[in-house]
Amino acid sequence: MDKKKKRRRTRKPKVVLPRKQVFILTAAIAAVCICMLCVAVLTAPPAAEDFRQPPAVSPSVPAPVTPQTPVSPSVSVQPPISVQPSVEQQPAKQTSPTEPVSVPEPSLPIVPKEPVPPVHPEFDLIPTAAPRAVLVFIFDDGGQNLDQLQPFLNLPFPVSIAVMPELVHSVESAKRVRAAGKELLLHQPMQAKNLAVNPGPGAIHPDMDRDAVRKLLHSNLQKIGPVAGMNNHEGSLITESVTQMDAVLDVCAAEGIFFLDSRTTADTQVPAVAAARGMKIWERDIFLDNTPDRRDILDQLYRGAAIANKKGYAVMIGHVWSPQLASILNELYPLLKKKGYTFSGIRGLYEDFGN
């Protein structure tokens, strides 16, 4: 018993804290831990991905705008407006506060330049026109195709177009020529020396007498008239006949129209028959498109210009079926005009060269 009492007496007394103090101590320790954690988070370096460059933003998709300062809940914030930059309006360049902002100078109004005609070295061979040199262009074989005819109606200068009779498009072609303000001719078919060549419907044949020739011509003129004149289609045989060509000139005189000899034969009797009657006729100087080659057509044009400079005018015959004649003349027209040439139909020649 005495030993047990001694042991009990020698034990250290237990320290018992009040419950209130324990709660306060625990809260203090927790507060210190939270403060240490906040300090660690605030002072920690940013994560590795924060150092990456932001992805490039296409001009057509503007980058989202992040507000740099806190916004009061009472202030309403409008969503950013996406603006698509046009070609003339490029995105604005970012400038620092210290960098001076350059103000662009006002641009002057753009004045459109006059179109410059293309330069064709091949046209340099055309001589400068003599005073009052006149070019007369006549295009034969109208009445066969309306599409082929149209480019010649569109030429920007006076021309003559000769339409054959009794073809599918003869009447319509004649109407379009007159409506376009061009000079209309009857392209009268006549038999060639080669009897195998068919001159076409409404033609003068060698077995026709004077009355038959007159009757035929009046019929053809009535179908496509009124016309300013007449020239021959083929006809190397008929134009060598004094009798038949005298009948042709009878009709021209009666109708008040001129006759143009296409000169399909060197033995033509038309000038002699006209001289005997005291009648003025006209003659072809140049065939433009004996070949479809561009170089050959240009060479013929150079020859025609030289003739016009020598005698005052040149009568040049082409054909409406020529594939590039109209386009060549369109190209050449500004240069010919610049070099001093004038353009006319046959009627326009009477004032200066009719005697």
Side-chain angles (χ1 to χ4, degrees), residues 9-20:
R9 291 173 185 167
T10 58
R11 286 179 181 175
K12 295 181 178 179
K14 293 181 180 179
V15 179
V16 179
L17 296 175
R19 183 176 297 178
K20 183 178 181 179

Side-chain angles (χ1 to χ4, degrees), residues 139 148-155 159 161 182 319-320 325-326:
F139 305 108
Q148 291 175 347
L149 174 66
Q150 192 59 45
F152 295 91
L153 299 180
N154 294 339
L155 288 171
V159 300
I161 298 178
K182 308 301 184 184
H319 298 84
V320 296
L325 180 56

Side-chain angles (χ1 to χ4, degrees), residues 106-293:
S107 58
L108 297 175
I110 300 175
V111 180
K113 296 181 178 179
E114 294 184 0
V116 178
V119 178
H120 300 278
E122 59 191 355
F123 294 161
D124 291 342
L125 297 176
I126 298 176
T128 300
R132 303 180 73 180
V134 183
L135 303 180
V136 180
F137 292 99
I138 297 172
F139 305 108
D140 285 349
D141 295 354
Q144 302 183 66
N145 186 301
L146 295 176
D147 291 336
Q148 291 175 347
L149 174 66
Q150 192 59 45
F152 295 91
L153 299 180
N154 294 339
L155 288 171
F157 52 88
V159 300
S160 303
I161 298 178
V163 176
M164 299 174 66
E166 298 188 17
L167 299 180
V168 176
H169 301 293
S170 294
V171 175
E172 180 62 25
S173 295
K175 288 180 180 178
R176 294 191 182 190
V177 172
R178 284 190 292 265
K182 308 301 184 184
E183 187 174 69
L184 176 64
L185 278 63
L186 169 63
H187 195 37
Q188 176 57 47
M190 301 180 184
Q191 182 62 55
K193 288 181 179 179
N194 183 356
L195 299 180
V197 175
N198 181 8
I204 299 174
H205 294 282
D207 57 349
M208 289 183 173
D209 59 19
R210 295 174 65 94
D211 290 338
V213 170
R214 294 192 193 99
K215 183 178 180 180
L216 174 68
L217 291 179
H218 282 296
S219 175
N220 290 342
L221 289 169
Q222 187 177 11
K223 291 174 183 175
I224 69 167
V227 301
M230 180 193 311
N231 71 336
N232 55 294
H233 171 69
E234 301 290 349
S236 55
L237 181 61
I238 301 302
T239 54
E240 292 182 358
S241 169
V242 173
T243 301
Q244 291 177 318
M245 288 312 304
D246 192 52
V248 171
L249 295 186
D250 278 345
V251 175
C252 289
E255 295 290 333
I257 62 177
F258 62 81
F259 185 83
L260 169 67
D261 186 0
S262 299
R263 294 195 63 87
T264 54
T265 173
D267 297 326
T268 176
Q269 297 299 308
V270 178
V273 173
R277 301 170 59 99
M279 182 177 178
K280 174 68 179 179
I281 57 107
W282 304 93
E283 299 178 88
R284 182 267 311 167
D285 294 302
I286 294 291
F287 275 125
L288 291 170
D289 48 7
N290 283 331
T291 75
D293 183 75

